Amino acid sequence: MSHPLDRAVWNALTTRLSAFTTPDSNAHAVRIDPEVGVFLACADGAPDSVAALGALARAHPGAGLIEVEGSPVADILPDGVAVAGRIPLVQMTAQALTAGDRTVDYEVLIEADAPAMLALATLTRPGPFRSATRKLGPFIGVKQDGELIAMAGRRLRVDGFTELSGVCTHPDHRGKGLAAALSRAVAAEILAGGETVFLHAFADHDATIAFYRTLGFEVRGRMTYTVLTD
């Protein structure tokens, strides 16, 4: 039996995040609302599932799939849909955090912060972030003189697991421990709720992987992020 995180997108969008899927999602394939995110997934490699995946990909361009590296579903390419790129990821998990004494004053970000959140994510590119990704949160952030300079939040949710995501800091404010402090705050809340924290990082970003290891995360496995054309 596969691990729930082997197919985190499918398992999240068919359970705890089902309210965020498009109306044309179905039992064979699901697509998150394009204003919320990019994720798309199919039930399996059966023809009906592949056809449904293709239909959703064509109806909602610019989707992305995250699947276990080398798995059959990771290489699925429906008719009429081209791949813009395949990006290796690592999936990391933590069941406890390492000790850390750096804290920051932060606030829970609200709808009024949406433009600033999107601007910060667009500048720093922590991963796919859309105009309404904040709805998957909550997200927390640090502001200086009214400007959002760092944030972190939640994204995918699978039974027993919640993803830490959207961790980013404005380039002018890096090196102050903001990302670590915010990541710890979000992860601590997830762990306090009895869940395991997980995240995805680019496999070739050694510094990012090393950073999360200092917080208590370890690599669980390798994934493939397939970006479909717009």
Short mmCIF file of all heavy atoms in Angstrom, two decimals, residues 29 65-66 70 101 105 112 148 175 178 183 215:
data_model
loop_
_atom_site.label_atom_id
_atom_site.label_comp_id
_atom_site.label_asym_id
_atom_site.label_seq_id
_atom_site.Cartn_x
_atom_site.Cartn_y
_atom_site.Cartn_z
N ALA A 29 -10.02 12.51 -12.52
CA ALA A 29 -8.97 13.53 -12.48
C ALA A 29 -9.49 14.77 -11.77
O ALA A 29 -10.69 15.08 -11.82
CB ALA A 29 -8.50 13.88 -13.89
N LEU A 65 1.93 18.81 -12.13
CA LEU A 65 1.70 17.55 -11.44
C LEU A 65 2.91 17.22 -10.58
O LEU A 65 4.05 17.41 -11.00
CB LEU A 65 1.48 16.40 -12.43
CG LEU A 65 0.32 16.49 -13.43
CD1 LEU A 65 0.74 17.27 -14.67
CD2 LEU A 65 -0.13 15.10 -13.84
N ILE A 66 2.68 16.74 -9.37
CA ILE A 66 3.77 16.26 -8.51
C ILE A 66 3.52 14.79 -8.22
O ILE A 66 2.51 14.43 -7.60
CB ILE A 66 3.85 17.05 -7.19
CG1 ILE A 66 4.21 18.51 -7.45
CG2 ILE A 66 4.90 16.41 -6.27
CD1 ILE A 66 4.32 19.35 -6.19
N GLY A 70 9.83 8.49 -11.23
CA GLY A 70 9.88 7.16 -11.84
C GLY A 70 8.60 6.37 -11.78
O GLY A 70 8.52 5.28 -12.36
N ASP A 101 15.92 29.32 19.17
CA ASP A 101 15.53 30.40 20.08
C ASP A 101 15.21 31.70 19.36
O ASP A 101 14.92 32.71 20.00
CB ASP A 101 16.63 30.64 21.12
CG ASP A 101 17.98 30.95 20.47
OD1 ASP A 101 18.05 31.08 19.24
OD2 ASP A 101 18.97 31.05 21.23
N ASP A 105 8.12 38.85 15.66
CA ASP A 105 6.74 39.29 15.75
C ASP A 105 6.11 39.14 14.37
O ASP A 105 6.60 39.70 13.39
CB ASP A 105 6.68 40.75 16.19
CG ASP A 105 7.15 40.95 17.63
OD1 ASP A 105 6.91 40.03 18.45
OD2 ASP A 105 7.74 42.00 17.92
N ALA A 112 -6.79 41.43 2.78
CA ALA A 112 -6.22 42.73 2.39
C ALA A 112 -4.73 42.62 2.06
O ALA A 112 -4.18 43.48 1.36
CB ALA A 112 -6.43 43.75 3.50
N LEU A 148 5.19 43.96 3.61
CA LEU A 148 5.37 42.54 3.89
C LEU A 148 6.76 42.13 3.42
O LEU A 148 7.09 42.24 2.25
CB LEU A 148 4.31 41.72 3.15
CG LEU A 148 4.37 40.21 3.37
CD1 LEU A 148 4.04 39.85 4.82
CD2 LEU A 148 3.38 39.49 2.43
N GLY A 175 18.95 36.79 5.75
CA GLY A 175 20.04 36.69 6.71
C GLY A 175 19.66 37.11 8.11
O GLY A 175 20.52 37.20 9.00
N LEU A 178 14.38 35.27 9.46
CA LEU A 178 12.93 35.38 9.34
C LEU A 178 12.29 34.10 8.80
O LEU A 178 11.27 33.63 9.32
CB LEU A 178 12.56 36.56 8.42
CG LEU A 178 13.03 37.94 8.89
CD1 LEU A 178 12.63 39.00 7.87
CD2 LEU A 178 12.44 38.26 10.25
N SER A 183 8.93 29.53 9.59
CA SER A 183 8.77 28.11 9.31
C SER A 183 8.54 27.34 10.60
O SER A 183 7.68 26.44 10.67
CB SER A 183 10.01 27.55 8.59
OG SER A 183 10.15 28.12 7.31
N LEU A 215 16.11 22.60 10.70
CA LEU A 215 14.85 22.75 11.45
C LEU A 215 14.30 21.41 11.93
O LEU A 215 13.40 21.39 12.77
CB LEU A 215 13.79 23.44 10.58
CG LEU A 215 14.13 24.82 10.02
CD1 LEU A 215 12.94 25.38 9.26
CD2 LEU A 215 14.56 25.78 11.13
#
